[in-house]
Amino acid sequence: MGRSFWHGMAWGLVLGVGSAASALAHEFWLLPEDFTVEPGAQMVVELRNGEKMNGINLPYLPGSVTRFEVVAGDTVLPVISRLGDSPAMTMKAPAEGLIVVVHQTAGSTVIYSEFAAFQSFVTHKAAAGALEAHSARGLPDKGFSETYRRYAKTLIAVGDSAGQDRDMGLRIEIVALANPYTDDLTAGLPLQVRLDGAPRAGAQLEVFAKAPDGTVTEALYTTDAAGVAMVPAVRGFTYLADNVDIYALPNDDAAAGPVWHSDWASLTYMVP
């Protein structure tokens, strides 16, 4: 079966092929099989799409990815996967320390068949002024479209786990300002939201925490002037942090093409 078949089946079934409720109500994140591995062991990472840390494991589809890398200190290595690989990444740990896996999707488009879906989305993601702007631009209540991209990172501890997350040059991303595997997190883990290479102040940071028994809780934070939110860190918990930027495209004719765009950032890690 060709690539177009796999692309249509996997992303179509998961994202709903143009269904706003299906596509934009879901997070996209990287889920390691194990957040802590021994030096020289395999790092296995799934691409996940779903809600509240429960979702579907997506296969690797070359046409849906524009960046997939493993960062070990100053070394950046491409993730080599084949069409249909599931999990999408299986790669030997290149070094001891903190490993950052970076993934960026290709652009996608969603069509809103009802205004309630757009209203729910921008309200949940705290996109101030989007509803007012939509009306002021004279846009219709349905039949308009939005483009979007996903930018995901995960932190994997190899051996001594030493190292530090940093800005990976993504348009939007979440950076852990402390190492969740080695640092004292008594006061919590500082997470910084960055947009276009600069701290994003006053942004909503949505954080899901999964306990060892599988229970998931959700909390919302607002970043300070430095784009930072202090997130509680509980031993044995796995975390997914999410931030979204929504902005108007320079087109006010819904019939001519997309009128909105959203960029999504996610970061996953564990506190051992």
Side-chain angles (χ1 to χ4, degrees):
M1 296 180 180
R3 189 176 82 175
S4 61
F5 174 85
W6 283 107
H7 188 278
M9 286 297 289
W11 288 99
L13 290 175
V14 175
L15 299 184
V17 186
S19 166
S22 177
L24 292 179
H26 291 68
E27 285 78 35
F28 175 83
W29 69 99
L30 304 182
L31 180 63
E33 183 177 83
D34 195 337
F35 281 91
T36 59
V37 301
E38 295 299 319
Q42 296 289 335
M43 301 182 299
V44 180
V45 179
E46 296 180 355
L47 308 180
R48 285 272 171 169
N49 183 267
E51 295 181 287
K52 299 181 179 179
M53 299 187 77
N54 292 303
I56 297 174
N57 175 23
L58 302 175
Y60 176 75
L61 302 171
S64 67
V65 182
T66 59
R67 182 178 175 185
F68 202 3
E69 298 170 342
V70 166
V71 180
D74 294 329
T75 301
V76 180
L77 301 171
V79 173
I80 306 300
S81 299
R82 297 179 300 175
L83 173 68
D85 277 356
S86 180
M89 171 184 150
T90 300
M91 182 173 176
K92 182 179 178 180
E96 191 168 11
L98 184 69
I99 302 296
V100 185
V101 182
V102 181
H103 185 282
Q104 177 180 326
T105 70
S108 298
T109 301
V110 62
I111 299 173
Y112 288 93
S113 59
E114 57 180 25
F115 191 69
F118 180 72
Q119 184 178 38
S120 175
F121 169 54
V122 299
T123 300
H124 180 65
K125 297 304 180 182
L131 296 178
E132 293 79 2
H134 190 90
S135 177
R137 295 167 65 193
L139 296 172
D141 288 346
K142 60 182 179 179
F144 62 94
S145 59
E146 173 182 336
T147 54
Y148 63 94
R149 285 181 183 270
R150 312 281 195 157
Y151 302 83
K153 294 165 53 180
T154 193
L155 306 180
I156 299 176
V158 179
D160 64 16
S161 313
Q164 181 62 57
D165 185 20
R166 65 177 188 272
D167 188 323
M168 295 296 168
L170 300 173
R171 199 247 158 187
I172 186 171
E173 67 179 288
I174 301 168
V175 178
L177 299 184
N179 186 325
Y181 304 100
T182 62
D183 293 349
D184 180 2
L185 303 181
T186 302
L189 177 65
L191 297 180
Q192 183 183 55
V193 178
R194 299 184 64 81
L195 182 66
D196 292 326
R200 191 181 188 194
Q204 175 178 285
L205 184 67
E206 188 172 14
V207 179
F208 300 92
K210 178 175 283 189
D213 66 1
T215 302
V216 177
T217 56
E218 177 185 359
L220 299 177
Y221 303 87
T222 301
T223 61
D224 62 17
V228 177
M230 188 66 73
V231 177
V234 182
R235 289 186 179 278
F237 278 54
T238 300
Y239 293 86
L240 163 61
D242 174 275
N243 177 253
V244 180
D245 179 46
I246 307 166
Y247 61 89
L249 293 175
N251 168 43
D252 292 339
D253 182 1
V259 295
W260 290 98
H261 180 84
S262 61
D263 285 317
W264 297 59
S266 69
L267 176 70
T268 52
Y269 58 90
M270 180 186 179
V271 179

